[in-house]
Each structure stands twice: as C-alpha cells, then as structure tokens.
Amino acid sequence: MTALSIAPRAAIAILAATATIAACETSPAAIASAADISPVAADLQSGTGVGVFFPPITSSDTPEIRFSTMPGVGPDQRQFFADQINLVASGAERAIPIVVQAVGDDRKTLVFMPIGGQATATPYIARGILARMTSVSRFLPAISEMGLSQEFDIYNMGAVLGFERIVVTDGRDFSHQAILG
C-alpha cells in the first residue's frame, strides 16, 4: 500500500471522528437535565461550559483587553476560530497535543485542553499555554480572512471575536480562566 492510498482513508477517519464529535453538541443539555442540584449543576445552567467541558475554575486572571467585539461576529465565527486552531495543532508538521473548543451559550467560552498526560495544574503553565496559543493563532488563515491583526494576543483575539472567557484545563480538577470582558 502506498502513502497516497492511505491518505484518503485517514481523511475519511478524520471526517467520521469530526462528525461524531459534532453530534455531541446536544450532549451537554442531556447531561445538564440529568444533573443533581449542586454547584456544578448551577454552573451548567449558567451556560459557561463548567461541569460539561471543564471542571470548576481554580484560578483566574483578568488580562488587559484593548479591543471590543467586532460587529457581526457570532457563534459561527467563534467556532471557526477554534476549528482553525485545532487544524493547525493537529497537523503532522506541528503536532501540539491540545484540543480547542468553543463552548457554552453562543460559544462564548474558548477552552484549551492539553492531552497526552501533560500537566497543566498551575496558573503559570496555563499562561504559558496561552502564550503558545497566541503564537499559533497569529498565523491562522482565519485571522486574515476575518480581517484581524496578527499583532493581537490570544486574549484580544478572543475578545474581538466575542469570547467572554478563555479556559485552560487538564480536564480533571484544574481550570484556569482568563476573563475577557
């Protein structure tokens, strides 16, 4: 079998996996309706994604935001941005073991979750991951397509796209949040 005959199979597998993940969009509602009344259940109802996509917040920052939300951006543009980061992060030439999601009401929470056993249990590591994501996101096709500046950091890119918070989580018991507005 040649490398060319394997590539279409890999593309089909990626499409199938993406369709499976996309089908999970209705899962949080099912989880939220089945949840017991607890602080996490209350967060589920707040629409931020806490308790569904990441554990409760353990540390928080409020970075300086210099720009306001671009007119006309909505959940689709925020999801497109997250998808673009995932595509770059999963490319063979730039493997970054991280999953990026736009979650919550109107997809206003941008979540970064390193995978593969890497610890993110401190705010310092979380800030380092966000610095790395600034570097990655500056060169996304989405940045030029949306007319954004490559000089923005991840916080200001998020704010311009209408994200209200960025969360870095280990998916177990640590979540660092940057509040953007």
Side-chain angles (χ1 to χ4, degrees):
M1 207 175 267
T2 68
L4 291 176
S5 64
I6 293 172
R9 290 182 185 167
I12 291 169
I14 291 169
L15 288 173
T18 304
T20 302
I21 291 169
C24 292
E25 282 189 80
T26 57
S27 297
I31 293 169
S33 64
D36 294 330
I37 302 301
S38 67
V40 172
D43 284 335
L44 289 173
Q45 294 172 357
S46 73
T48 64
V50 174
V52 176
F53 297 100
F54 54 92
I57 301 299
T58 54
S59 62
S60 188
D61 286 334
T62 306
E64 179 184 350
I65 302 301
R66 297 175 290 154
F67 304 97
S68 59
T69 302
M70 275 186 349
V73 298
D76 292 340
Q77 288 79 19
R78 289 187 283 276
Q79 184 63 54
F80 179 67
F81 180 72
D83 291 345
Q84 291 288 306
I85 294 174
N86 274 319
L87 287 172
V88 169
S90 64
E93 67 281 352
R94 286 186 174 170
I96 301 168
I98 197 161
V99 173
V100 183
Q101 302 175 28
V103 304
D105 289 348
D106 287 331
R107 297 184 185 118
K108 290 188 176 183
T109 301
L110 182 60
V111 179
F112 295 98
M113 185 182 316
I115 56 175
Q118 294 190 352
T120 59
T122 71
Y124 307 107
I125 293 172
R127 289 183 198 112
I129 289 169
L130 292 172
R132 176 105 186 254
M133 291 298 102
T134 292
S135 298
V136 168
S137 61
R138 282 183 174 160
F139 298 101
L140 295 174
I143 298 305
S144 58
E145 288 175 26
M146 293 180 178
L148 300 177
S149 172
Q150 289 183 347
E151 296 176 18
F152 289 179
D153 60 14
I154 194 70
Y155 306 112
N156 282 284
M157 277 187 228
V160 166
L161 291 171
F163 288 103
E164 295 176 350
R165 72 196 52 74
I166 298 174
V167 176
V168 177
T169 181
D170 63 5
R172 292 180 295 276
D173 52 21
F174 173 81
S175 291
H176 177 77
Q177 171 178 253
I179 300 167
L180 304 182

